[in-house]
Amino acid sequence: MRGGMGNMQNMMKQMQKMQKKMAEAQEELGEKKIEGTAGGGMVTVVVSGHKEILEVNIKPDVVDPEDIEMLQDLVLAATNDALKKADELTNQTMGQFTKGMNLPGGMF
């Protein structure tokens, strides 16, 4: 019976280590800057790893007062591109902690 308790304590220590590493990885993700683009780089959106929009850059050449809709579409496309890349980075970074665990789909 004694060996069982030792294993349980060891497992708890391992879980605490993993939780600490996960928290550190989450923090590092927030410091990352991910860039999304549209229109061949005419519109660029930068987001953090926590999916906060940090910057929106629009080249003057793409600004056409007669075609605001195109500019809106480019901003939307660049934003979605950046968010998709942020999701991929999050899955790649946090996925290392969930390998081999049967967690419900989409937790990370």
Side-chain angles (χ1 to χ4, degrees), residues 22-41:
M22 285 175 72
E24 289 170 357
Q26 276 283 19
E27 193 175 318
E28 286 177 23
L29 273 173
E31 295 170 9
K32 299 274 187 201
K33 290 186 176 184
I34 301 110
E35 184 176 284
T37 61

Side-chain angles (χ1 to χ4, degrees), residues 8-19:
M8 186 62 125
Q9 286 177 336
N10 191 30
M11 195 166 84
M12 292 301 287
K13 283 182 184 176
Q14 292 299 322
M15 288 297 288
Q16 287 172 341
K17 271 187 191 175
M18 190 171 91
Q19 284 178 327

Side-chain angles (χ1 to χ4, degrees), residues 13-31 49-50 89-99 101 103 106-108:
K13 283 182 184 176
Q14 292 299 322
M15 288 297 288
Q16 287 172 341
K17 271 187 191 175
M18 190 171 91
Q19 284 178 327
K20 185 178 179 193
K21 286 184 180 182
M22 285 175 72
E24 289 170 357
Q26 276 283 19
E27 193 175 318
E28 286 177 23
L29 273 173
E31 295 170 9
H50 289 163
L89 180 62
T90 298
N91 289 336
Q92 181 182 0
T93 301
M94 300 310 289
Q96 65 186 328
F97 299 107
T98 58
K99 280 184 186 144
M101 295 177 152
L103 297 175
M107 281 204 61
F108 290 103

Side-chain angles (χ1 to χ4, degrees), residues 43-46 53-58 75 79:
V43 175
T44 304
V45 174
V46 179
I53 297 174
L54 304 173
E55 295 176 35
V56 176
N57 299 303
I58 301 170
V75 171
T79 302

Side-chain angles (χ1 to χ4, degrees), residues 61-88:
D61 307 356
V62 80
V63 180
D64 179 358
E66 301 295 315
D67 195 0
I68 297 298
E69 210 170 282
M70 181 189 69
L71 181 56
Q72 291 169 335
D73 289 344
L74 289 172
V75 171
L76 188 62
T79 302
N80 285 330
D81 184 44
L83 292 175
K84 180 180 167 219
K85 289 176 181 176
D87 278 341
E88 290 169 358

